[in-house]
């Protein structure tokens, strides 16, 4: 497995594989890799000839009071996980290479990014789309792999790829959960044992949402309210939003739909968690 920090080096390796007719898959990450990331790398390994993982804690997507400074950085372990998953090349740029002081360009979407996560974290998605655009231009993938856990993120990236006519395919892989239902996240390691226990209410609320949808007699609005009540009843969990929305537009649903997703964000102690579940209404 090759490890490269320079964009030019990565680009020339990938170019040579593309010229040889090989299909390139990329898994963009911020490191602190867990089993969820491994599932993305394994999917890329199954479906592509040459697999690139990028590890970069992107300062541009963190707000001023967010966890950029203390975001877990575990490069040695990350490289071991990449190697075990069969990754061919790991790109580990530093901030000066990704964002030189004279850089002026920002990739910014105007609709989807203003909702839910974007409303609570102003500027976050500009940071995501700008860095992902740069990572795509450096790693030249045929396919790029993202987790469904960041539901809005994968939607925003799909929109960007379509709007900008990028010749690549976005693959969204299922959420990977701990045995008790907690969605895998690099931020779970911030949780104290008590907060970890409290955070299970997110999965309970999403499971309840699915059960209510299956009854066929509950409106999306009623399901959203019941999720809010359940989460609001747990001390130490501060709900940011819980909503049943259209899968593509993220607009709250008024009527039941075949394209529905329940989305939750909450602060548990100091840790901000998100989770979601595609709903099947009867
Ligand atoms: O999902 C993440 O880890 C990040 O938002 C991404 C896509 C790697 C961009 O920094």
């Amino acid at each position: 497995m090759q490890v490269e920090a320079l964009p030019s080096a990565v680009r020339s390796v990938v170019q040579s594989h593309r010229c040889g007719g090989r299909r390139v898959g990329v898994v963009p990450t911020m490191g602190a890799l867990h089993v969820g990331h491994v599932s993305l790398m394994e999917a890329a390994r199954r479906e592509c000839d040459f697999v690139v993982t990028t590890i970069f804690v992107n300062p541009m997507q963190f707000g001023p009071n967010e966890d950029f400074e203390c975001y877990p950085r575990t490069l040695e372990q990350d490289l071991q996980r990449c190697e075990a998953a069969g990754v061919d090349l790991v790109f580990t740029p530093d901030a000066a290479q990704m964002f030189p002081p004279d850089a002026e360009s920002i990739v910014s979407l105007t609709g989807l990014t203003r909702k839910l996560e974007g409303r609570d974290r102003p500027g976050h998605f500009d940071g995501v789309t700008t860095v992902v655009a740069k990572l795509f231009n450096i790693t030249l993938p045929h396919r790029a792999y993202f987790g469904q856990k960041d539901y809005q993120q994968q939607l925003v990236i799909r929109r960007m790829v379509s709007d900008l006519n990028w010749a690549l395919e976005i693959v969204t892989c299922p959420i990977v959960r701990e045995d008790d239902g907690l969605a895998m996240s690099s931020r779970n390691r911030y949780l104290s044992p008590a907060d970890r226990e409290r955070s299970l209410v997110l999965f309970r609320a999403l499971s309840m949402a699915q059960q209510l949808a299956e009854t066929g007699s509950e409106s999306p609005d009623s399901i959203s309210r019941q999720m809010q009540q359940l989460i609001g009843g747990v001390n130490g969990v501060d709900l940011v939003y819980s909503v049943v929305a259209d899968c593509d537009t993220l607009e709250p649903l008024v009527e039941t739909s075949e394209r529905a997703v329940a989305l939750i964000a909450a602060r548990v102690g100091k840790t901000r968690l998100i989770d979601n579940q595609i709903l099947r209404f009867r």
Side-chain angles (χ1 to χ4, degrees), residues 81-223:
R81 284 200 174 237
C82 291
E83 180 124 52
V87 169
D88 296 299
L89 170 68
V90 184
F91 177 41
T92 58
D94 63 29
Q97 281 148 5
M98 291 303 277
F99 298 113
D102 58 348
E104 294 184 34
S105 305
I106 291 175
V107 179
S108 188
L109 277 63
T110 53
L112 262 182
T113 55
R114 305 288 191 259
K115 303 171 188 177
L116 302 177
E117 286 300 282
R119 190 174 308 138
D120 191 52
R121 305 181 67 191
H124 166 69
F125 281 120
D126 284 359
V128 171
T129 45
T130 302
V131 83
V132 170
K134 289 170 70 72
L135 292 170
F136 286 170
N137 282 331
I138 294 165
T139 62
L140 305 172
H142 294 92
R143 289 182 146 209
Y145 294 78
F146 296 88
Q148 187 197 313
K149 217 251 314 146
D150 293 293
Y151 187 87
Q152 188 173 4
Q153 171 173 279
Q154 58 84 36
L155 220 51
V156 163
I157 290 166
R158 282 175 184 276
R159 181 80 264 150
M160 171 181 80
V161 164
S162 165
D163 288 353
L164 300 181
N165 303 91
W166 242 304
L168 65 90
E169 187 186 341
I170 301 299
V171 181
T172 304
C173 297
I175 298 175
V176 180
R177 298 185 179 280
E178 306 275 5
D179 289 344
D180 56 10
L182 182 67
M184 299 260 180
S185 163
S186 303
R187 290 188 167 99
N188 289 351
R189 64 186 79 194
Y190 299 151
L191 295 167
S192 67
D195 282 344
R196 196 193 173 292
E197 192 58 36
R198 291 183 181 105
S199 66
L200 293 177
V201 73
L202 273 67
F203 180 62
R204 281 206 303 280
L206 292 170
S207 306
M208 178 190 72
Q210 179 50 42
Q211 279 166 16
L212 292 171
E214 275 165 20
T215 66
S217 58
E218 300 278 345
S219 68
D221 190 46
S222 153
I223 296 176

